[in-house]
Each structure stands twice: as structure tokens, then as C-alpha cells.
Amino acid sequence: MTKTSETPIAQPLRTLHIMTWGCQMNAYDSGRMADVLRPLGYRQVATPDADMVILNTCHIRERAAEKLFSELGRLRAVKDARGGAMMIAVAGCVAQAEGAEIFVRAPYVDLVVGSQAYHKLPELIAAVEAKRAAVIDTDFSAAPKFDFLPEAQASQGPIANLAVQEGCDKFCTFCVVPYTRGVEQSRPAAAIIAEARRLVAGGAREIALLGQNVNAWHGEGLDGRDWSLARLLAELAGIHDIARLRYTTSHPRDMGDDLIAAHRTNEKLMPFLHLPVQSGSDSVLRAMNRRHGIDRFRRIVADLRAARHDIAFSSDFIVGFPGETDADFDATMRLVRETEFALAYSFVYSRRPGTPAADAPDQVPESLKHSRLLELQAVLRDQQHAFNRAQVGRRFDVLFTGTGRHPGQIAGRSPYLQPVVVDNADLAPGTVHTVTIVAANPNSLMATLNQEQIAA
Ligand code: SAH
Ligand code: SF4
Ligand code: F3S
């Protein structure tokens, strides 16, 4: 095991700038890369005028991947202005997918490092410096990278993310993730619990467990047996200073009965679930290889609502998947209307090289994809506003995280991840207080502290 976290700092100070795109896993990984580089003397700075710049990229849709190359164009000018004294590293899912092609399009890139090789950054950087030539490592290592990374720095604040699972074996026909992140791997419970305790010692009160398919987590338990995510959540709920738990992103296929039941029994589990459904049409779901039908999704939602009456849902949708007919799209609109989502992300289908759907003959014309997206987004936006308005008058606990935008304000997060702002309050970050919601703005809720709390 390479444990670099305790290496004494005998290195010259160097500056590091990390840009992150994509999902929360990438954001988590960026933190871990900073952890790996800290013992080498790298300190993070806010601008790209730095000794080392890492671009942690996303490959999920064409537009996400193209951001890398537009950003690289800008960085090249900064590198030139520094007389070439800047190491540019491309990390993340584009690095994994495009590999050495990146050097062809952008020869001033020094290092391409795939999503499973971050623990090797010190030696890769040394190789670039020694060889004065570009270096690439996009191997999927046999052992999970988590085993080789130094312990995560426990300084994320009151709300922290903790990766418990990585990779995906589901091979939805539109998706690059199984190719960019490799097979599903679950971290053992002991490592997760140890990291959670460090996060709590660093001030975390809310922990979100992360994974590309987080509810497929099944890791070695503390008793040596295979644990489910529900069991892991129960164990984490036993850590006194954890006030709130979440997990994301879930797949309907892996929404087991014990996880549904956990929403009834685990009081620290927040009543908010991101459950991507992608489409409301069984035939589209089949073509997407989602391996469940709409009835299953409906049943999960109903069971969860029965387990926890105040639960709310967010989801992801793709419109214009190859072969999607008007009737398929209508089925999606019907599902949205009947489910009533608190929040949703929706995208037009993007053809990703190497994925099966990219070669399907019945691609939907771009103009039709976009008109469907607008129609869907109008309904989803109305549902989100309705959900926010429905909070007015409700009482619930808010985890306060810091000051608000205006003087005297303090801000926090609702159980549903909505920003909540209280005027004229002085509360310590990391504390949980009951509030009453008095107004809903498009992107935040205004609240007053409950009287009994002020008196207490
Ligand atoms: N593991 C999660 C999703 C990961 S990707 C799940 O299975 O639900 C996040 C979202 O990006 C997906 O839910 C999907 O809605 C969207 N997405 C993925 N590939 C896409 C593509 N080729 N075109 C458009 N949207 C895509
Ligand atoms: Fe992609 Fe499907 Fe895996 Fe989600 S489950 S990451 S959409 S292949
Ligand atoms: Fe993007 Fe990779 Fe995440 S493709 S969505 S950064 S797993």
C-alpha cells in the first residue's frame, strides 16, 4: 500500500489548480487528487496560472467532452505566458476514453491520467519531469484505486461526500460510464466507516454516499459478511454526530426491499431520492437496456411513499433516444405528470462513440429532440416550482452551513437539498434547527426559526 499522507513535507511549494466537470464522483476524485499531491508540496490556487493544472473531465455527452478542448485552448495561452512552466494533466472520463488521442489534438498536454490511476500521480509527474515528454496511464488497475489512495483529508465542512462504490456493469446502450469507470467495485464497510468518522471529526454532519450505482453497493461488512447498502446506512446512522445521510445515484433495478424499508426505519436517512428513470416508455427502456419496466418504477415510488410519506423524488430523463416515437415521448410526459418530481435533470440523447445506441439506424432528428426537451422541461420546471411553493408553512429541520448572501443571514439546506435562508440569526455552521418556511423563491426558501428553539 502506498500511504503518502504521512510523508513529511520536504518539497518546495508548488501551485495546483484543478478544474472539475461531470458528476459528484469527479468532484470527489478531484479532492482525492489534491490529497495525493499535497505531500509533494502542491497547494491549491483559484486561478489556472499555476505550476500544475488538472482538468478532471466528463465524457457523458458530446458537449461535456468538448469542454475539455475549448478549455485546453485557453490554457495553452496561459502556459505560453509562463514560458512553458506549467504541467497540464487531463484526468477523468475523457482521459480514460480518448487516451493518447488527447496528445494528438493538444500536444501541449503533459499527462493523461485515467480515472483509476490517481494514486500513481506522484510517479507519473516524476516521469514527465524526468523524461521531459508526455506520459499516459489509463490502465484499469486490478485492485480498486481506493486501496491505494492516501486517507481523504477530512475538511469538507458540514456537508460531505464519501465515495463507497465506483464503476458500472449495467451497460445501458447510451452510456459511456462502464467504459470510462470500469466494473462495479464496492469499498469494504470498515474503510467507509473510518472515512465517515474522519469526516465527522472534520465537522461533517451530513454525509452523502456516492457511487455511479450506489445502491448496487454490496461490500464486505464489519462481520466479514456481504452487507447491503441498507445495512451500511444503519451502521453509519449509529455514529452519533452524523445528523443526516443520503446516497446517490441509484438505479431502479437495485432498489431492494431492505433499502426501501430503510426509509421507514433509518431516521437519519433524508426523505429525498435521486432515482433516474430516463423514459416513461417500456419499449424505450428495453432499447436502453435499463432492465426494468415502468411498472417497476411506479411500484418503487409507491412503496417508498408508503414507507416515508414525505419523501420526494428527483430523476434524470433522456429524450430523443433512437426509435423514440411520439407515443413513447407521451408516455414519458404521462409518467412525469403522475409522479410529480421535486427536481429533475433532462437531456437530449447524445451519440457516444463506442456505445451500442450510437449506431442504431433510427436516430431522432435534432430538431425533434430539442422540441421534446423543451416540452418536458416546461413541465419539470413547473413541478419543481410547485414543490418549492408547497414547502411554505411546513416545519422541518435545516442543517446550517454558513452565512447567507446578505448581512445577518444564515443559510443551510432542507431535507430536500433546497437552500434555506434565515434572516437575523446567529447560528453556528454544522448545527441543525427546526424552522418554518415562510416564502419560496425560485432557487431558495426563506424561513424563520421556531420559537421554542430561540428560547432554548
Ligand atoms: N448511473 C446513473 C446515471 C449516470 S449518468 C443511472 O444509471 O441512472 C447521468 C445521467 O446522464 C443519466 O442518468 C442520463 O440521464 C444522462 N446520460 C447518460 N448518457 C447520456 C447520453 N448518451 N445522452 C444523453 N444523456 C445521457
Ligand atoms: Fe450508465 Fe446505465 Fe451504468 Fe447508469 S446504470 S452509469 S446510465 S450504464
Ligand atoms: Fe461524466 Fe464520468 Fe461522471 S462521464 S458523469 S464524470 S462518471
Side-chain angles (χ1 to χ4, degrees), residues 21-23 25-26 57-60 93 176-177 180-181 212:
W21 294 282
C23 59
M25 279 305 277
N26 256 15
T57 58
C58 175
H59 200 242
I60 201 82
C93 292
V176 295
V177 172
T180 63
R181 292 281 175 165
Q212 263 95 22

Side-chain angles (χ1 to χ4, degrees), residues 28 156 160-164 187 192 195-196 199 207-210 236:
Y28 181 84
Q156 295 186 36
N161 288 327
L162 199 176
V164 301
R187 295 176 75 186
I192 295 165
E195 187 165 328
L199 290 170
I207 295 183
L209 306 185
L210 301 184
L236 289 167

Side-chain angles (χ1 to χ4, degrees), residues 297-379:
F297 181 79
R298 283 204 183 98
R299 204 163 54 243
I300 295 168
V301 168
D303 289 352
L304 281 161
R305 283 185 167 145
R308 179 90 203 228
H309 71 92
D310 58 349
I311 198 165
F313 294 93
S314 74
S315 199
D316 293 343
F317 293 90
I318 295 177
V319 298
F321 185 80
E324 185 188 69
T325 62
D326 284 342
D328 293 322
F329 178 65
D330 289 346
T332 299
M333 295 294 282
R334 266 200 308 280
L335 180 75
V336 168
R337 289 207 173 88
E338 91 181 35
T339 311
E340 296 187 11
F341 294 95
L343 184 70
Y345 305 91
S346 47
F347 314 97
V348 295
Y349 168 68
S350 170
R351 287 169 86 162
R352 308 308 291 129
T355 59
D359 301 324
D362 41 2
Q363 301 289 329
V364 174
E366 289 300 317
S367 57
L368 185 54
K369 287 191 211 173
H370 283 95
S371 60
R372 283 180 185 166
L373 184 70
L374 288 179
E375 204 180 325
L376 174 62
Q377 287 185 335
V379 176

Side-chain angles (χ1 to χ4, degrees), residues 8 180 184 249 296 343 405 449:
T180 63
E184 280 180 7
T249 291
R296 168 119 172 91
L343 184 70
R405 220 181 298 157
L449 283 179

Side-chain angles (χ1 to χ4, degrees), residues 60 167-178 184 212-213 249 251 276 278 288-291 318:
I60 201 82
C168 179
D169 303 338
K170 296 224 165 28
F171 292 93
C172 301
T173 53
F174 53 81
C175 183
V176 295
V177 172
E184 280 180 7
Q212 263 95 22
N213 268 296
T249 291
H251 192 293
Q278 316 297 356
M288 286 177 164
N289 191 32
R290 291 292 286 181
R291 296 189 274 182
I318 295 177

